[in-house]
Amino acid sequence: MDRIMEVSPYTQMLKTASMAIVVCGLPEVQEGRCGAFWPQDCGAAIENLLLQAEDLGYGTCWCGIYPNEERTARMKELFSAESTPMAVIALGVPEEEPSARGYFDPEKVRYFD
Ligand SMILES: Cc1cc2nc3c(=O)[nH]c(=O)nc-3n(C[C@H](O)[C@H](O)[C@H](O)COP(=O)(O)O)c2cc1C
């Protein structure tokens, strides 16, 4: 986890997290099938992971790696990975339960008849 924090300075919550989950994609697996949707697939997998963790009483933080080229390359090297590291998920037992920060703006949602 110390080395992940070196690669991505935005993962300092790993100092107190119980674990880090690195979600990776294999872009070449999808060639000729459904195109380059692997980032969306990883995003959906990550969101499911966050929701399940919340349901189990854990706290998480989604920390982006891909498409930042330097972070992606360094994370690949760190794990000797063939796949592309998309994100680090910090996971632990939460000490607080902050309420939503109020970014949702109903004005930005468009409805059509
Ligand atoms: C693609 C993506 C990358 C993110 N990367 C980071 C990150 O590197 N470090 C961090 O502290 N938060 C990161 N965040 C933000 C947190 O995961 C989280 O969404 C945010 O703290 C939630 O707070 P909010 O819902 O109150 O905005 C990222 C979020 C997304 C969706």
Side-chain angles (χ1 to χ4, degrees):
M1 297 220 269
D2 287 340
R3 280 181 282 162
I4 294 175
M5 286 188 274
E6 278 170 30
V7 170
S8 178
Y10 307 105
T11 60
Q12 298 306 308
M13 73 296 288
L14 291 178
K15 281 181 195 149
T16 53
S18 308
M19 68 157 69
I21 299 172
V22 183
V23 176
C24 302
L26 281 168
E28 62 276 15
V29 169
Q30 291 201 335
E31 285 297 322
R33 216 154 53 91
C34 27
F37 287 107
W38 69 273
Q40 287 91 329
D41 289 342
C42 284
I46 292 166
E47 196 62 36
N48 286 336
L49 196 156
L50 303 190
L51 291 170
Q52 184 66 55
E54 159 82 19
D55 206 45
L56 293 170
Y58 296 107
T60 56
C61 187
W62 177 343
C63 299
I65 299 297
Y66 178 89
N68 180 293
E69 286 178 17
E70 191 202 330
R71 272 188 248 163
T72 304
R74 288 183 65 195
M75 283 290 285
K76 261 185 106 144
E77 197 183 320
L78 182 56
F79 291 99
S80 304
E82 300 279 319
S83 50
T84 302
M86 156 68 67
V88 172
I89 313 303
L91 190 141
V93 180
E95 286 183 344
E96 53 187 49
E97 287 187 35
S99 48
R101 290 195 284 179
Y103 288 148
F104 177 66
D105 179 0
E107 294 288 313
K108 291 182 177 162
V109 182
R110 295 175 67 196
Y111 298 92
F112 298 91
D113 289 328

